Amino acid sequence: IDIYDAAKIEGWVNKYISAIVSVLNWVGRPLERGLKTWSDWSRHSEYQRFSFIADTDRQAALKSLKSLLTEHGKCARIVGISGLGKTRLAFEVFRDVDNHDDLSKQVVYIDASANPAILGLVTDWVQCELEGIVVIDNCDGSLHNKLRREILRTDSKLSLLTLDYNIESAGQTNIIQLKQLSDEHIKQMLEPVYGKQISDLDRIVTFAQGFPQMAVLLADARLDREPEM
């Protein structure tokens, strides 16, 4: 029989960022505004509404990021024009498909545009030797470089994944640059949701020009009979 008293449970929780964020959210005292576990992140409707469609490049990126982020002190960055699906790709990196390597339990997600204090938070987490993976959306190059400096400290037990539209180099960082999807892949994404409602779906696929987000906006506008579609 293993006895887990309150002190032992507290010690375990306070070792992992995702556990800290979960517990504080449960008791209504969030550590910082906007911090989400993968479970919280997954509640956005688009992740249930649309299947993730990956071309060869995205499949390779998923495999590379899953492997890299299992280690401490690693940095990666997804860049590309707005609407290509950077956030969705990052989300899918942590989806547990094999039921034996559940990275999702280690992740916290935050949008840097909504929380300018994220650099100080990450610095504190490194100094406290917390473990986990930090995903930061809308993270410009300057912030990424400052965060990377903290993540690469010899005592760091964190890994970092940042996302931004600004395509620029960053030292000691694995860069994933997203490009447009093919029309075939865009149609695969739209058809299960709109196939029976929109007769001219091929036109929308063509207009989207490889941008998943644009395809969804056009399809929704078509359903709503938006005059400015």
Side-chain angles (χ1 to χ4, degrees):
I1 299 175
D2 291 325
I3 306 295
Y4 290 87
D5 65 4
K8 192 167 186 178
I9 295 172
E10 178 188 20
W12 180 87
V13 166
N14 285 328
K15 186 179 178 183
Y16 301 99
I17 298 172
S18 57
I20 294 170
V21 172
S22 293
V23 171
L24 290 177
N25 285 345
W26 294 338
V27 299
R29 293 190 292 111
L31 176 67
E32 188 67 35
R33 295 181 65 183
L35 275 175
K36 299 175 183 177
T37 62
W38 190 88
S39 178
D40 294 328
W41 189 10
S42 70
R43 292 190 176 95
H44 289 276
S45 61
E46 61 267 26
Y47 301 142
Q48 271 88 67
R49 190 179 177 203
F50 297 98
S51 298
F52 177 66
I53 303 299
D55 56 11
T56 303
D57 289 343
R58 283 166 173 77
Q59 289 173 359
L62 283 175
K63 185 177 180 180
S64 171
L65 290 170
K66 279 179 181 290
S67 175
L68 181 78
L69 294 172
T70 56
E71 302 178 44
H72 294 157
K74 299 296 183 181
C75 296
R77 186 162 170 80
I78 301 173
V79 295
I81 302 169
S82 180
L84 287 175
K86 297 184 295 294
T87 306
R88 182 61 187 267
L89 177 64
F91 174 82
E92 295 296 331
V93 168
F94 307 103
R95 186 188 292 278
D96 181 27
V97 293
D98 299 321
N99 297 317
H100 62 73
D101 186 20
D102 198 349
L103 288 179
S104 68
K105 298 293 191 295
Q106 304 177 42
V107 176
V108 289
Y109 167 89
I110 192 165
D111 188 332
S113 64
N115 195 322
I118 188 61
L119 176 59
L121 273 176
V122 171
T123 301
D124 290 344
W125 293 342
V126 171
Q127 290 175 342
C128 293
E129 297 187 355
L130 299 185
E131 296 184 33
I133 303 168
V134 185
V135 179
I136 303 181
D137 212 339
N138 292 309
C139 178
D140 62 36
S142 174
L143 177 57
H144 172 86
N145 289 331
K146 292 172 183 175
L147 289 163
R148 185 194 67 215
R149 186 167 180 269
E150 298 301 322
I151 297 296
L152 295 179
R153 280 175 42 163
T154 56
D155 57 344
S156 171
K157 294 183 179 179
L158 298 177
S159 289
L160 174 70
L161 175 61
T162 65
L163 296 76
D164 196 41
Y165 63 86
N166 197 351
I167 302 171
E168 58 185 23
S169 61
Q172 295 178 279
T173 300
N174 184 13
I175 304 288
I176 304 292
Q177 184 174 339
L178 283 194
K179 298 178 181 178
Q180 285 108 308
L181 281 170
S182 68
D183 285 357
E184 178 186 355
H185 287 98
I186 292 290
K187 189 170 183 178
Q188 286 178 27
M189 181 188 76
L190 296 180
E191 218 161 20
V193 180
Y194 302 103
K196 295 180 180 179
Q197 304 174 72
I198 300 177
S199 58
D200 53 349
L201 197 62
D202 286 338
R203 292 183 65 203
I204 289 172
V205 170
T206 301
F207 290 151
Q209 297 183 7
F211 288 82
Q213 186 179 45
M214 181 60 70
V216 172
L217 291 172
L218 286 169
D220 283 342
R222 177 72 174 81
L223 283 181
D224 294 337
R225 301 184 182 278
E226 292 285 349
E228 299 300 325
M229 177 192 160

